[in-house]
Amino acid sequence: MFRPVDDGGWNMFPRQKDETFHSPYAATLALLVLLEIRAADEPWEGSSERRDSIIRSTARWLIERFDGGASPAGWHRTVDTSDPVSPGLTLQAYGTLLRAEAEMSVEAPAAVHEAMTRRLIALSDSTMADAVDSGEFGIVSMSLDGRMEMHSESINFLWHPWAVDAAARWLERSRCAPCEAEDVERVRRALGHLVVVLGPEAVRPALSGWVFVASES
């Protein structure tokens, strides 16, 4: 119901009226789920080959929606390019695509890696006061009783846990991929800042707030 069209995209809502109005956020979550399923050596739709095929098509769909011309570069909250680029979603997509590359050899173009490197280095100046971006999504979809209705969902895109994930995976990749030594040191410093300096402050809301904050953190 969330992947009615076999084009790599995934939808925010089941049974959408516009089945092709895919969601970069839903696709990023789906890619994470599929990689976890593969790590557990479980099939998808009864087939390991089908699972791996969908992983590749989902990763390619995400890569094709990367906006390198935006400032900052990254993924818009929806496929509508008039929506802002989401810093939190972009960091989540970076980390998830790095995992897909490491585990499935699905490599993103150089432009994605270059933008990723710049973004990770810039995190050395981040603070936990940096705002979490969010989006309110409204889509016409079919209700359980068969009526077309407007359904809405509010999403907060956390940036800190996915920044840690992306930076750690970037450094792991740098061991075998050509990288500037200066960039490696800068990303390492950024990761140290995220974990050592900001980590204790990030833990507090994870222990006392919403469940999704705890799970992602």
Side-chain angles (χ1 to χ4, degrees):
M1 291 187 292
F2 292 89
R3 197 179 59 84
V5 183
D6 193 10
D7 60 1
W10 293 71
N11 292 345
M12 179 73 77
F13 296 91
R15 302 177 298 275
Q16 288 182 189
K17 182 177 181 180
D18 183 354
E19 294 183 336
T20 63
F21 192 76
H22 302 315
S23 163
Y25 178 61
T28 303
L29 290 182
L31 182 58
L32 174 62
V33 168
L34 289 162
L35 289 169
E36 289 288 342
I37 291 170
R38 185 176 187 274
D41 196 25
E42 294 291 343
W44 180 266
E45 296 179 348
S47 167
S48 297
E49 291 77 14
R50 181 65 174 151
R51 175 202 64 206
D52 291 352
S53 174
I54 298 175
I55 288 175
R56 293 188 179 95
S57 66
T58 302
R60 284 195 298 268
W61 186 91
L62 266 179
I63 290 167
E64 289 168 0
R65 270 72 194 173
F66 176 78
D67 188 350
S71 183
W75 281 266
H76 298 270
R77 295 182 307 198
T78 70
V79 289
D80 183 352
T81 55
S82 65
D83 275 347
V85 165
S86 166
L89 173 58
T90 294
L91 287 166
Q92 184 175 357
Y94 281 153
T96 308
L97 286 172
L98 285 172
R99 179 174 175 179
E101 179 180 329
E103 298 179 7
M104 291 284 296
S105 301
V106 181
E107 188 167 355
V112 175
H113 287 288
E114 290 166 5
M116 184 190 314
T117 302
R118 292 194 302 269
R119 181 70 188 101
L120 293 174
I121 290 172
L123 291 169
S124 293
D125 296 325
S126 59
T127 74
M128 292 308 297
D130 292 345
V132 172
D133 66 297
S134 62
E136 184 77 28
F137 303 93
I139 300 289
V140 176
S141 58
M142 185 181 295
S143 63
L144 292 176
D145 59 5
R147 291 179 291 114
M148 283 294 177
E149 297 178 337
M150 175 66 74
H151 293 90
S152 63
E153 183 71 36
S154 180
I155 301 292
N156 285 343
F157 299 105
L158 303 184
W159 66 268
H160 182 266
W162 300 110
V164 173
D165 180 69
R169 293 185 187 280
W170 188 99
L171 288 169
E172 186 66 27
R173 180 182 186 272
S174 72
R175 297 182 180 183
C176 55
C179 297
E180 295 290 338
E182 186 176 9
D183 287 343
V184 174
E185 185 59 31
R186 286 174 171 175
V187 174
R188 185 177 290 115
R189 287 175 182 171
L191 179 59
H193 174 73
L194 291 166
V195 174
V196 178
V197 177
L198 302 186
E201 190 176 351
V203 165
R204 286 194 290 273
L207 294 177
S208 60
W210 296 96
V211 172
F212 84 92
V213 177
S215 63
E216 292 188 34
S217 298

